[in-house]
Amino acid sequence: MSEKNDGANRQAKRSARERLQAEREREKKKDKRRRTLVVAGAVVGVLGLAAVVGLIAANSGKGGKTTGSGPVTAPSGATGKDALAIQTGRSEAASTLTVWEDFRCPACKSFETNYRDTVHELEAKGLLKVDYHLVTLIDGNMGGSGSLRGANAAACAQDAGKFAAYHDLLFQNQPEETDDAYGKNAKLLELAAKVPGLDTPEFRTCVEKGTHDSWVAKSHEAFRAGKFRGTPSVLLNGKDIFADQAHPITPQKLKETVEAAARGGSPSATPSPSASPSASPAGARTKPSAAATGATGAARAGASASKGAAGE
């Protein structure tokens, strides 16, 4: 009887030890998951700026649809060479931000997400104006027509005096790069209904007829002629803000530079004699750095992720 009890006790102890060990393993896994989530959260924050630099290579290439066989009809108030830019902000602002964007471009969305509030703040103060150039790079690289249709709709919004609000809305609701949702006018009109006063018969006709398709095509040809390497390409007073990958201009630095220019100072982002409008942000294939956020390794991780997102 005693032997049976001893056996039962030993079995119970083994079972207890096994349960304790199993519990410890579960706790270790939970701790590992928690650490992973914490690190992932930190990386996401760090990649806010790094993604703008790192994703550009994934949105580069010689592609781009330039469909548009009708007359070139520039939107109301278009400015710049050949009237290919849509300008926001006050025309007398001391600094100019030139932005080449594609509404299907993930890196363009990252740029807008990280810099939008700063840009709008500087515009509201009358210190900065922005010249937007719309291109169709992703249509050529990924197929579809969302870049073209989205750009035409944005130009139609400019005719209605609603470009800035609609431009921001398109990026805020940007579909996955492989999803050509913006190739459907119905989707563009659905989003237009969220901008007060934009969804009018005139706007709908402009969108459905592709009134500005040829203008968008001409804008894209100017982008190709400029030898930009990807989207977004962003220049402040003529100098590419991502040209120095080790020290890209952060939103705070952008603000400081523009404010210095307004005071008549010597902002670091003014063009040097060798600066060329054709300069463009270097992409992930040249090992982009995120020194501005202190996370070179994270930038490389972001670049790697962006290649996967682009189907590379």
Side-chain angles (χ1 to χ4, degrees):
M1 187 70 175
S2 175
E3 291 179 357
K4 289 184 179 180
N5 288 337
D6 289 343
N9 288 336
R10 285 195 296 273
Q11 181 63 35
K13 288 179 181 180
R14 281 198 299 271
S15 297
R17 285 197 299 270
E18 290 171 355
R19 287 196 299 271
L20 181 59
Q21 182 64 28
E23 181 63 27
R24 286 175 178 170
E25 290 298 325
R26 284 195 292 270
E27 286 301 319
K28 285 182 181 179
K29 289 180 180 179
K30 288 180 181 179
D31 287 341
K32 184 177 180 180
R33 283 196 296 269
R34 281 194 292 268
R35 288 195 299 271
T36 299
L37 289 173
V38 170
V39 172
V43 170
V44 168
V46 164
L47 288 180
L49 175 61
V52 179
V53 179
L55 284 174
I56 290 172
N59 296 294
S60 62
K62 298 181 180 179
K65 290 191 175 182
T66 55
T67 303
S69 57
V72 176
T73 304
S76 176
T79 188
K81 183 180 179 181
D82 296 328
L84 293 178
I86 294 177
Q87 189 173 99
T88 62
R90 301 177 191 175
S91 59
E92 67 273 17
S95 292
T96 302
L97 195 69
T98 303
V99 182
W100 296 81
E101 288 184 318
D102 185 321
F103 287 112
R104 289 182 68 187
C105 160
C108 297
K109 180 178 180 178
S110 293
F111 167 75
E112 288 294 334
T113 299
N114 286 281
Y115 290 78
R116 181 185 297 116
D117 290 346
T118 300
V119 168
H120 286 337
E121 177 186 346
L122 293 170
E123 286 180 322
K125 291 179 179 179
L127 306 180
L128 179 72
K129 58 181 177 289
V130 184
D131 287 341
Y132 290 100
H133 297 262
L134 309 180
V135 301
T136 59
L137 188 66
I138 306 302
D139 282 358
N141 288 348
M142 304 297 294
S145 60
S147 301
L148 175 63
R149 300 265 54 79
N152 173 69
C156 294
Q158 169 67 9
D159 289 338
K162 305 287 184 179
F163 172 79
Y166 191 60
H167 163 275
D168 290 355
L169 191 67
L170 286 177
F171 278 117
Q172 289 164 355
N173 290 273
Q174 184 187 79
E176 292 294 322
E177 187 179 17
T178 54
D179 179 1
D180 193 33
Y182 285 173
K184 300 177 178 63
N185 288 334
K187 179 63 177 179
L188 298 170
L189 295 172
E190 174 190 324
L191 291 175
K194 298 181 180 182
V195 178
L198 178 57
D199 189 11
T200 63
E202 292 78 13
F203 174 79
R204 285 178 168 266
T205 297
C206 182
V207 170
E208 291 167 352
K209 287 189 175 182
T211 299
H212 300 297
D213 282 1
S214 292
W215 176 82
V216 174
K218 189 172 182 179
S219 178
H220 182 77
E221 287 303 323
F223 171 78
R224 294 179 64 180
K227 301 187 184 303
F228 295 95
R229 286 184 288 172
T231 53
S233 286
V234 185
L235 299 88
L236 177 60
N237 297 327
K239 185 175 181 180
D240 181 356
I241 71 172
F242 298 125
D244 181 356
Q245 293 183 44
H247 303 91
I249 295 180
T250 63
Q252 180 60 32
K253 182 62 175 177
L254 173 65
K255 181 178 179 180
E256 293 170 357
T257 302
V258 170
E259 289 175 342
R263 292 193 300 268
S266 300
S268 60
T270 51
S272 63
S274 61
S276 168
S278 65
S280 61
R285 293 187 181 89
T286 55
K287 297 183 180 179
S289 169
T293 55
T296 302
R300 289 172 181 166
S304 177
S306 71
K307 291 181 180 180
E312 293 186 353

